[in-house]
Amino acid sequence: RKITFKNFINFFIFKTRDLVHILKKYKKYVLFSSPSTLMNTISIWIPVIFIWIFFDAKYASLFFLSHRIVNLPMMVLRHAIGKIFYSRASIDIEEGVLTQNIVKYFKILFHIAFLCLIVCLFLAPNLFSFIYGSDWSESGKIVQILSPWLFFTLLAAPISTVPTILYKQEIEFKFQTILLIVRFISLLIGSMIFQNLYITLILFSITSSIVWMIYLFYILKLSEITVAEIISSCLTNKNEYLLFLITILLIFFLIKTSFLTFIAFIPISIYMLYSTLIEIRKV
C-alpha cells in the first residue's frame, strides 16, 4: 500500500519492457502497415494535385466529384464486406475454411462490381448530366474512364487484408509502393508529354487497373485459390449478367436523353439492390 520511489520506478520499467516486447512482436504493423496506409492516401490524392497543376482547376473539381460519388457507395460496401471478412478470418483459419470463404466473398464482390461497371461504362454521362446539370456532364465521362480501376478496386480491396491476416504486411507495403510509383509515372507522362486530360486519366485508370489486377491474382495465389475456381464460381450467374448487359445496352442505344435514361435507371437500381441482397443471403 505504501508507494515508494523504488516501486514507482519498477512500475514504469515493467511497462517499458512490456511495450518493447509488443513492438518487437508486432513490428510489421509499425514498419509496413502504417506506411502502406499513408501511401494509399497519397495515391488517392495525387491525380487531383496533377490535374490542378497541369490542367484547368475546374477539372480537379470534376474529378473529385466523379470519384467521390461513384466511389462512396462502393467504399461503404467494400469496407462493410472487408470488416466482416477480416473479423471472421482468424476463426476461418482455425477451422480450415478460409479458402472457401474467400471464394464466397469474391463472388459477392464480383456481382456488385460487374453491375456497377456496366452502368458506369454506358449510362454515367447521361445520369450525371441529368442529376448535376450540363455543367457537370463531363464528370460522367471521367467516371467512364475510371470505371475499370474502380471495378478492380472493389474486387480486390476487401480481401486485400489476406497478407495482414497471414502476417505478411510487407506484401501490402510493396504493392502500395509499386501502385504509387506507377500512378505517378502515368500521370507525369499524360500531363507533360501528351498534355491531354483524358489521355492522362486513361493512363491512370489502365495502369491502376493492371496493378490492382496483378495484386488480386497474387492474393488468390497466396490463399491457394486457382483462377479457374474463381471464374467457375462467378459464372454461376452468367445468364443474369448477360440479361443485365443486354438491358443496359438497349438503354444506351435506344434512349438518347438524360431524363429518360434516369427514368430507366430507377428500376435498374432497384434490381441491383435486390440482386445484391439475394447474393449476400446465400453466403
Side-chain angles (χ1 to χ4, degrees):
R1 296 180 181 179
K2 185 179 180 181
I3 300 176
T4 63
F5 181 76
K6 183 179 179 181
N7 290 337
F8 186 75
I9 295 298
N10 287 338
F11 172 78
F12 278 97
I13 291 174
F14 169 77
K15 288 298 179 182
T16 304
R17 289 173 181 173
D18 191 39
L19 180 61
V20 171
H21 173 72
I22 292 173
L23 288 173
K24 287 181 179 179
K25 185 177 180 180
Y26 299 103
K27 61 182 179 181
K28 287 190 176 182
Y29 287 95
V30 179
L31 295 175
F32 300 117
S33 294
S34 298
S36 296
T37 304
L38 176 62
M39 285 189 290
N40 181 52
T41 303
I42 294 173
S43 65
I44 291 173
W45 281 99
I46 194 172
V48 178
I49 297 172
F50 264 86
I51 295 171
W52 186 276
I53 294 173
F54 291 98
F55 303 101
D56 196 313
K58 71 173 185 178
Y59 291 114
S61 301
L62 290 172
F63 177 88
F64 186 81
L65 174 70
S66 58
H67 177 265
R68 283 299 175 186
I69 288 176
V70 176
N71 193 48
L72 182 60
M74 290 186 179
M75 184 174 64
V76 172
L77 289 169
R78 188 167 66 230
H79 284 185
I81 296 174
K83 290 292 184 182
I84 296 172
F85 171 75
Y86 187 79
S87 64
R88 288 179 53 90
S90 57
I91 301 174
D92 293 338
I93 292 174
E94 292 178 1
E95 297 177 353
V97 295
L98 179 63
T99 300
Q100 296 90 315
N101 283 340
I102 289 176
V103 174
K104 291 179 181 178
Y105 281 107
F106 188 88
K107 183 181 178 183
I108 295 174
L109 293 170
F110 180 83
H111 186 86
I112 299 170
F114 180 80
L115 300 182
C116 293
L117 174 66
I118 299 303
V119 170
C120 290
L121 280 176
F122 296 103
L123 304 185
N126 280 343
L127 291 176
F128 271 74
S129 180
F130 174 77
I131 296 172
Y132 299 102
S134 57
D135 293 337
W136 297 88
S137 60
E138 288 185 90
S139 295
K141 296 179 181 178
I142 294 175
V143 168
Q144 283 182 311
I145 296 172
L146 299 181
S147 55
W149 162 50
L150 296 172
F151 172 77
F152 283 105
T153 303
L154 181 56
L155 280 181
I159 61 174
S160 62
T161 54
V162 169
T164 304
I165 294 167
L166 300 177
Y167 201 55
K168 296 181 179 180
Q169 287 91 333
E170 64 274 11
I171 296 174
E172 183 184 3
F173 176 78
K174 292 176 182 177
F175 160 71
Q176 291 293 348
T177 304
I178 294 171
L179 181 63
L180 181 59
I181 293 172
V182 167
R183 284 180 170 178
F184 182 83
I185 294 173
S186 64
L187 289 168
L188 198 63
I189 292 173
S191 302
M192 300 191 68
I193 297 178
F194 293 99
Q195 297 181 355
N196 183 283
L197 174 65
Y198 290 112
I199 293 177
T200 302
L201 293 177
I202 289 171
L203 289 173
F204 172 82
S205 182
I206 291 174
T207 53
S208 298
S209 300
I210 292 172
V211 175
W212 269 106
M213 181 176 63
I214 294 172
Y215 187 51
L216 175 61
F217 287 150
Y218 186 84
I219 291 174
L220 295 177
K221 182 181 179 181
L222 192 66
S223 306
E224 299 181 351
I225 301 173
T226 63
V227 177
E229 186 178 358
I230 285 292
I231 294 175
S232 176
S233 175
C234 294
L235 290 183
T236 53
N237 296 335
K238 58 181 179 297
N239 294 331
E240 180 183 357
Y241 297 150
L242 181 60
L243 183 61
F244 183 81
L245 176 60
I246 292 173
T247 303
I248 296 298
L249 288 175
L250 287 174
I251 295 173
F252 175 73
F253 286 111
L254 298 179
I255 300 177
K256 299 302 180 182
T257 64
S258 58
F259 172 73
L260 292 178
T261 300
F262 178 77
I263 296 300
F265 176 70
I266 294 175
I268 293 293
S269 60
I270 295 173
Y271 161 77
M272 290 172 64
L273 178 60
Y274 173 76
S275 181
T276 301
L277 292 175
I278 293 297
E279 284 300 315
I280 293 174
R281 290 183 62 182
K282 291 179 182 178
V283 177

